[in-house]
Amino acid sequence: MTKLALWLALVPWAIAQTTPNFTGVWELNPAKSHPTRPDANMRIKIDQQGPDFGVTFRNVERGETQEESLKFAAGQESKNQMHGAPMTSHTEWDGATLVVRSVAVFSGKELRLNNRWSLSPDGNTLTFVERHQFGDSPEEEDTHVLDRRPGNSWEPSAPPKLAEEVYKNIQIMKGVPAPRLRLVMTNLTTWLGVRCDHCHVVNEFEKDDKPAKETARKMFKMVRTINQDNFPGTGPVTCWTCHRGQAKPQSLPPQQL
Ligand code: HEC
Ligand code: HEC
């Protein structure tokens, strides 16, 4: 073989080598991370198959385990929910570093994330540098250094807590998983074109002081009944069907109002 042919034969190997496999169970090393958070308890489980990444975060805060699973695909756009907010991500390899750029929208404000994942040469340390910028706040950077843990150290997921176990004043959403309640709340703002404070005393979400909250409860029951009585099994009617981004839906076409 000529030198050139040898080179060419090695090229595919060299390219394959530049995209490492992050599959495994990883635990935050708070001492090596920046900013250091000695009390932080975060683990990440990654399943990587070809371009597809399944990433599950588990955080323990004040004795409560919070879990969130995201899916990404290298070279593609992916849609996920982050803390109940819709998030769009673009994922690509930059050499041996996986770059995930995401925008999540929390009540109209954008959280922009630029995350870079890389593996140490021995494969036992995963570094995840997160640049985040929310609304008009200045950009910040966190470095999370994670150590590899045995694959069997990841316990199966506990079923999510129900809304009534987490929140204080649940009347109509009993039996709904708590993360789902947050998602519904975020959707309500879009469907009705309002903010949280239309229905809530902010930061005292359990209070029933605003009439719109009680109206919303009645509307949920109404929508349930409409669907059960007319569209069994499919449930196509939602708040959006009538509201279309307005607090008060139109009853007649505009020229007849
Ligand atoms: C259109 C009215 C409406 C809007 C807008 C709305 N909510 Fe709610 N929210 C409700 C209703 C109704 C309940 C009670 C559900 C029940 O009784 O099961 C509730 C319950 C909650 C609870 C549970 C409180 C507790 O402890 O019982 C939280 C938290 C919450 N909402 C957060 C939000 C957030 C955050 C937003 C904005 C992103 C929001 N909500 C927007 C109507 C609304
Ligand atoms: C069948 C049509 C229809 C559907 C579906 C519907 N609504 Fe309504 N909603 C109305 C109408 C009509 C009004 C306005 C009544 C008025 O003019 O006083 C209204 C009013 C409201 C109001 C009071 C608005 C204000 O000024 O504060 C809230 C809150 C509300 N709806 C929440 C919801 C929620 C939440 C859902 C989904 C669970 C929903 N609605 C689904 C027809 C609908």
Side-chain angles (χ1 to χ4, degrees), residues 167-169 171-173 185 196 199-200 205-206 217:
Y167 299 109
K168 296 182 193 140
N169 181 13
Q171 299 175 23
I172 51 162
M173 296 199 195
M185 292 300 142
C196 311
C199 299
H200 290 289
F205 290 101
E206 70 281 4
R217 282 201 179 103

Side-chain angles (χ1 to χ4, degrees), residues 84-86 103-112 133-136 185-190 193-196:
V103 178
V105 184
F106 292 89
S107 315
K109 262 198 188 179
E110 283 192 352
L111 171 67
R112 282 176 288 278
Q133 203 243 321
F134 184 56
D136 304 326
M185 292 300 142
T186 308
N187 284 341
L188 282 182
T189 60
T190 311
V194 296
R195 295 192 319 196
C196 311

